[in-house]
Amino acid sequence: MKKIILLLSCIFVMTSMFAQTSFQELTLEKALEQAKVENKYVFVDCYTSWCGPCKKMAETVLNQPVVGDYFGEYFISIKIDIEKGEGPILKEKYGIEGIPDYLFLDGDGKLVYRFGGAMSLDKFMEGAKYAIETSHDENNVVRLAMRYEQEKNDEAFLKLYLEKLIEVGSRDSYEVFEQY
C-alpha cells in the first residue's frame, strides 16, 4: 500500500512539474523565428532579479498547470531580465516602465498585447486569452496606443482609440478624451 501511495505521489509531482510554463532559453530574435515556424506568438516575461512581484508571479501563477497548458499551445515563452543582456534594448523598444511586464508579440516582433504587475491566476489567464483573441486586430488597444503620438490630432483615430480604451476598461482614457 505504501508503494502505491508513493508511486501516485511521484506521478502527481511529475505531472505538475511538466505542466508549468516552459520558458525557453532563447534570445528574442530566436524566439520570434521559432514562433514563425510553429505558427505561435511569443510571450515575454520581463523581470529583474530583485523584483518581489516578479518572484511572486513565478511562484504562484506562472508555475500553474493551466498556464503551462495554455501557453504551451499558443506561445513560445521566454524570460528576459530587463537589466541584463538584451533586456535594456527590449525595455526601450517596447517602452517598459514597470515590472513585471508581460509582452505578447507576433512572429515579426509586433506588440499584440501587454499587461503587467502581480495578479491572480484568473486575471493573468484573462489577459493571455485576450491577447490571442485580439492578436489579428490591427486596431487593438495596444497597437492604437503605439500609434497615439503620431495620430493624436486625427479625430477619427481618437474616437476609435477612446472606444477601445473604454471597451477594455482602461483607466488611461482621460488624456485621449481630453485630446478628442
Side-chain angles (χ1 to χ4, degrees), residues 49-143:
S49 60
W50 51 263
C51 170
C54 301
K55 291 176 184 178
K56 178 181 178 189
M57 289 297 291
E59 293 169 2
T60 63
V61 174
L62 297 174
N63 66 351
Q64 296 300 308
V66 67
V67 177
D69 292 343
Y70 189 79
F71 278 58
E73 183 175 345
Y74 293 103
F75 303 105
I76 303 299
S77 299
I78 61 173
K79 293 176 81 68
I80 295 182
D81 186 328
I82 62 167
E83 295 182 329
K84 298 177 183 173
E86 68 182 322
I89 295 166
L90 184 90
K91 181 179 177 182
E92 171 124 2
K93 180 176 182 177
Y94 293 104
I96 298 168
E97 295 178 0
I99 49 172
D101 199 11
Y102 308 108
L103 306 178
F104 297 85
L105 311 173
D106 67 15
D108 295 321
K110 283 190 202 170
L111 189 62
V112 171
Y113 192 62
R114 79 171 331 137
F115 57 90
M119 64 195 71
S120 69
L121 173 62
D122 291 340
K123 191 76 170 166
F124 183 80
M125 288 303 298
E126 183 181 303
K129 289 176 182 176
Y130 186 79
I132 294 296
E133 290 170 16
T134 64
S135 62
H136 299 294
D137 182 1
E138 285 299 319
N139 290 323
N140 75 30
V141 72
V142 173
R143 289 181 176 152

Side-chain angles (χ1 to χ4, degrees), residues 10-57:
C10 288
I11 291 171
F12 176 75
V13 169
M14 289 177 67
T15 303
S16 297
M17 285 174 33
F18 291 113
Q20 65 189 0
T21 306
S22 176
F23 288 101
Q24 299 184 31
E25 296 287 327
L26 299 171
T27 63
L28 178 59
E29 183 180 334
K30 292 290 182 190
L32 294 171
E33 289 173 13
Q34 188 171 336
K36 282 183 179 180
V37 169
E38 295 184 29
N39 197 28
K40 292 183 175 184
Y41 295 93
V42 175
F43 167 67
V44 185
D45 176 9
C46 303
Y47 74 99
T48 62
S49 60
W50 51 263
C51 170
C54 301
K55 291 176 184 178
K56 178 181 178 189
M57 289 297 291

Side-chain angles (χ1 to χ4, degrees), residues 1-9:
M1 183 67 169
K2 288 182 183 179
K3 289 181 182 181
I4 292 173
I5 292 173
L6 181 60
L7 178 63
L8 290 174
S9 297

